Amino acid sequence: MVKVVYEIVPHDGGWAYRFRDVYSEAFPTHSEAVEAARIVAAEQQVGGDSAEISWQDESGKWHEEYADGGDRPETEVIDGQMHFPPVDTAPGA
């Protein structure tokens, strides 16, 4: 299973969450960046519709495959040594 880890980091005079080399917008406070990252991590858990997809790899070759809408990555938000579970974004939560 794929694991997506969002890291809380200083960015553009504020705070952001980062996945690999991609940064979110800058947030004025650390706690706002943590909350935004937790929401994004929870949204990664929401399944979608299964579908046939096409995608291009780094060498330019196209691939076709079946994407299971329920196949979602594991997510985590980290800030130094602290780990935050994603917030529950289910309706009525």
Side-chain angles (χ1 to χ4, degrees), residues 42-43 45-46 87-93:
E43 289 172 353
Q45 301 300 302
V46 178
V87 294
D88 186 356
T89 59

Side-chain angles (χ1 to χ4, degrees), residues 28-49:
T29 67
H30 179 270
S31 61
E32 287 174 297
V34 169
E35 183 67 14
R38 293 179 68 208
I39 290 169
V40 168
E43 289 172 353
Q44 286 286 336
Q45 301 300 302
V46 178
D49 295 330

Side-chain angles (χ1 to χ4, degrees), residues 74-91:
E74 179 182 346
T75 61
E76 183 177 12
V77 175
I78 61 170
D79 177 19
Q81 297 301 313
M82 297 179 69
H83 297 259
F84 302 92
V87 294
D88 186 356
T89 59

Side-chain angles (χ1 to χ4, degrees), residues 55-70:
W55 56 277
Q56 189 175 22
D57 65 21
E58 298 85 18
S59 67
K61 182 178 178 185
W62 282 92
H63 302 268
E64 305 250 344
E65 67 182 59
Y66 176 78
D68 179 355

